[in-house]
């Protein structure tokens, strides 16, 4: 079983739709969770960061973490064509010691059609 | 504010030729630095990370090497490229605090390498 599973898509939605992107993980030691957005041929850009179960909102984006189910989600409200990108989830143990690594999902390709 | 630079942006090299990719970070001191490779359908693969000058940890055995000659400079090298080295190479940095650390990593624009 892979540590982080993410549906690769592609996911195609009309403009204005609510988008739900999801990742599941198997390592219960993961404590910190991130979502990155990557436009074609560009480096990933950090979108959201959270370390507790529950919801965190930033504009049209909401990150949700359910540690009991080992499941994280990113919701995009009122999706725009400019949201078309690959979305990567990432997580880490966050031991504060020698573990500096992030474990990434493979990414979900999202297209928002005008 | 912090910025991260990578060059070159694109590179086409023949098999067996050497490689040198450079990454520099501005606006922060003593960052953690990372090299990743992203191949189609395979996600982000961590190649090397560094917590200080001259301190390099390798994640994947291969014909690549990394060096950190200065605090904010990270270099990825190879003596002889293989076809399988083709991919999108990303440098990233994160803040390093003594006794704790933050997990957020910030990526550069990447170098697209094609080995022919």
């Amino acid at each position: 079983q892979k540590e982080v599973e993410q549906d690769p898509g592609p996911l195609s939605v009309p403009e204005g739709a609510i988008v739900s992107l999801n990742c599941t993980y198997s390592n219960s030691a993961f404590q910190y969770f991130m979502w990155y957005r990557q436009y074609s041929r560009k480096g990933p850009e950090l979108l959201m960061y959270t370390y507790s179960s529950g919801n965190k909102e930033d504009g049209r984006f909401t990150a949700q973490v359910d540690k009991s189910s080992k499941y994280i989600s990113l919701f995009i409200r009122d999706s725009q064509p400019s949201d078309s990108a690959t979305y990567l989830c990432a997580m880490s143990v966050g031991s504060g010691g020698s573990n500096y690594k992030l474990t990434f999902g493979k990414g979900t390709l999202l297209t928002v059609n005008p | 504010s912090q910025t991260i630079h990578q060059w070159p942006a694109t590179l086409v090299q023949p098999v067996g030729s050497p490689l040198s990719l450079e990454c520099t970070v501005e606006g922060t001191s003593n960052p953690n630095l990372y090299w990743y490779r992203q191949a189609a359908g395979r996600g982000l693969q961590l190649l090397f990370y560094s917590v200080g000058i001259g301190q390099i940890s390798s994640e994947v055995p291969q014909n690549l090497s990394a060096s950190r000659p200065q605090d904010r400079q990270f270099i990825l090298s190879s003596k002889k490229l293989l076809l399988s080295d083709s991919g999108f190479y990303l440098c990233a940095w994160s803040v390093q605090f003594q006794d704790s650390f933050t997990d957020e990593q910030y990526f550069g624009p990447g170098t697209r390498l094609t080995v022919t």
Side-chain angles (χ1 to χ4, degrees):
Chain A
Q1 182 184 12
K2 294 181 181 176
E3 277 197 297
V4 178
E5 300 270 9
Q6 183 175 10
D7 187 339
L11 182 61
S12 182
V13 302
E15 183 174 355
I18 296 175
V19 177
S20 173
L21 303 165
N22 311 296
C23 288
T24 59
Y25 61 96
S26 58
N27 187 351
S28 58
F30 285 140
Q31 298 293 328
Y32 297 84
F33 305 91
M34 281 143 277
W35 285 95
Y36 286 84
R37 177 176 63 196
Q38 185 176 22
Y39 292 115
S40 180
R41 306 181 78 84
K42 303 291 186 183
E45 168 195 12
L46 181 64
L47 268 182
M48 301 282 287
Y49 173 97
T50 183
Y51 55 86
S52 58
S53 284
N55 294 348
K56 180 179 180 180
E57 191 173 317
D58 184 1
R60 296 185 296 110
F61 298 91
T62 299
Q64 185 178 80
V65 174
D66 183 345
K67 290 184 179 180
S68 62
S69 301
K70 299 190 182 68
Y71 189 89
I72 68 171
S73 298
L74 178 70
F75 298 97
I76 306 175
R77 291 185 300 279
D78 187 26
S79 56
Q80 303 295 310
S82 58
D83 295 327
S84 298
T86 296
Y87 289 80
L88 301 157
C89 64
M91 47 199 78
S92 74
V93 172
S95 66
S98 60
N99 192 331
Y100 300 91
K101 305 173 196 175
L102 294 183
T103 301
F104 286 87
K106 290 190 175 182
T108 299
L109 178 61
L110 170 67
T111 300
V112 181
N113 301 299
Chain B
S1 65
Q2 300 87 3
T3 55
I4 178 169
H5 304 279
Q6 284 187 248
W7 63 91
T10 59
L11 192 59
V12 180
Q13 292 283 94
V15 168
S17 64
L19 174 74
S20 181
L21 303 181
E22 190 164 341
C23 169
T24 58
V25 181
E26 296 177 354
T28 187
S29 296
N30 197 28
N32 294 326
L33 296 171
Y34 311 82
W35 277 113
Y36 289 87
R37 178 169 56 206
Q38 189 175 37
R42 297 190 61 184
L44 279 165
Q45 180 185 33
L46 179 62
L47 302 175
F48 301 94
Y49 68 93
S50 170
V51 301
I53 295 174
Q55 300 178 62
I56 311 292
S57 296
S58 174
E59 287 293 302
V60 182
Q62 57 206 327
N63 68 323
L64 299 173
S65 62
S67 62
R68 184 170 178 173
Q70 300 180 44
D71 180 42
R72 291 170 289 176
Q73 184 184 30
F74 206 22
I75 296 173
L76 183 70
S77 304
S78 175
K79 292 182 179 178
K80 288 186 177 181
L81 284 168
L82 307 173
L83 284 174
S84 57
D85 291 324
S86 293
F88 192 42
Y89 287 82
L90 290 156
C91 181
W93 71 274
S94 67
V95 176
Q96 180 179 160
F97 292 120
Q98 198 168 17
D99 301 324
S100 66
F101 71 102
T102 178
D103 301 65
E104 302 140 84
Q105 292 181 17
Y106 301 92
F107 286 84
T111 295
R112 188 160 302 279
L113 171 66
T114 303
V115 182
T116 59

